[in-house]
Amino acid sequence: GLGCPLVRFRSSLKGPCVGMKFAEFIMNFEERAKWDPQIKQVDEIYPIYDVDAANIAMDFKYGDCKRLGVGYCQTKSNPIVDGREQLILCGIQNMPNKRTVIWGTELEEWHNHLFPEDIERHTRAKSHLFATTLQPTGPDSFDVEYILQLEVGGNLPNFLTTPILVETVKGMFKYAEKVFGNEEIMAPWIKPEDEIEDIIIAERHSLLMPL
């Protein structure tokens, strides 16, 4: 009843199944800009560092929460649609058997006070749901499923916006295929999990709250 389609993509990739790396394609501006030509800004504006509390709140029913926070993203204008902005609660859940779920949902209108105050407001797009699930299929291969229900906002019909969305997501999978197939790029991610978590936490601190 939301008026926008739920689109689903699946792909099989070669390389190690590393969910935290795949999440960078969505949550890290530099990585996302390499496959999404419309992206203008991606920021984790309200990180939640106490993921243990998040696991307790979820009663440990949905795997092990490794990252959680509120993110802001903004897209560029193009000939069909002007720039959009989003305010999304996102998380990364590690599941049994080295599976990973990267998820997000748009915050409600009553959360608008969380938008960055120093940025001009734009038309609001809403990702009612997005979820990326990685499932190992072998020692050096995995399947990815990407689900997205995006309300672009404004008065644009879905038949205009959905093809653009589809082509953009295809670009993400093509980029992921190149990255995960590159042993040199993936080498730093093939480490004990606690070492990778330490690196990620240090990067989040350096960006958001200098040590």
Side-chain angles (χ1 to χ4, degrees):
L2 294 173
C4 50
L6 177 68
V7 292
R8 179 185 181 199
F9 306 84
R10 296 190 70 183
S11 182
S12 297
L13 299 177
K14 295 292 185 181
C17 185
V18 183
M20 299 298 282
K21 178 59 181 177
F22 202 98
E24 286 201 339
F25 302 157
I26 301 167
M27 300 178 177
N28 179 289
F29 173 73
E30 291 183 356
E31 287 286 346
R32 184 159 170 177
K34 293 175 182 176
W35 61 267
D36 185 353
Q38 289 301 122
I39 200 65
K40 184 176 182 179
Q41 185 173 348
V42 177
D43 286 322
E44 185 181 23
I45 54 177
Y46 298 105
I48 299 172
Y49 291 102
D50 192 355
V51 292
D52 290 334
N55 280 320
I56 293 171
M58 291 184 285
D59 197 25
F60 301 93
K61 293 180 179 179
Y62 307 103
D64 183 12
C65 180
K66 292 299 182 183
R67 187 168 183 176
L68 185 65
V70 174
Y72 172 81
C73 66
Q74 184 184 145
T75 60
K76 303 173 186 176
S77 298
N78 63 48
I80 295 178
V81 60
D82 60 354
R84 296 296 198 254
E85 65 180 357
Q86 293 185 257
L87 191 67
I88 308 176
L89 176 67
C90 301
I92 303 173
Q93 310 290 129
N94 279 0
M95 312 297 286
N97 301 320
K98 296 185 178 181
R99 292 173 294 160
T100 303
V101 176
I102 306 158
W103 61 271
T105 185
E106 194 78 22
L107 295 182
E108 301 292 343
E109 297 291 340
W110 59 77
H111 295 118
N112 284 356
H113 63 282
L114 297 175
F115 275 108
E117 295 181 357
D118 59 342
I119 297 177
E120 180 183 357
R121 296 277 66 78
H122 299 270
T123 302
R124 180 88 175 266
K126 296 182 178 180
S127 292
H128 297 291
L129 169 69
F130 85 76
T132 305
T133 303
L134 283 72
Q135 168 74 55
T137 55
D140 197 44
S141 62
F142 60 100
D143 287 344
V144 185
E145 180 178 80
Y146 184 87
I147 295 173
L148 177 64
Q149 188 170 30
L150 176 66
E151 181 181 341
V152 175
N155 298 315
L156 289 170
N158 290 324
F159 73 84
L160 286 179
T161 59
T162 300
I164 297 173
L165 171 65
V166 170
E167 290 305 312
T168 301
V169 175
K170 285 181 179 179
M172 179 183 69
F173 279 112
K174 289 178 181 177
Y175 178 65
E177 183 178 26
K178 181 174 66 175
V179 171
F180 277 86
N182 188 311
E183 294 183 1
E184 184 176 351
I185 293 176
M186 293 306 300
W189 295 89
I190 307 175
K191 294 181 177 181
E193 186 173 307
D194 56 348
E195 290 186 26
I196 295 175
E197 289 179 10
D198 288 344
I199 293 171
I200 292 170
I201 291 173
E203 289 177 348
R204 296 176 79 192
H205 273 288
S206 66
L207 289 171
L208 299 161
M209 48 171 59
L211 295 171

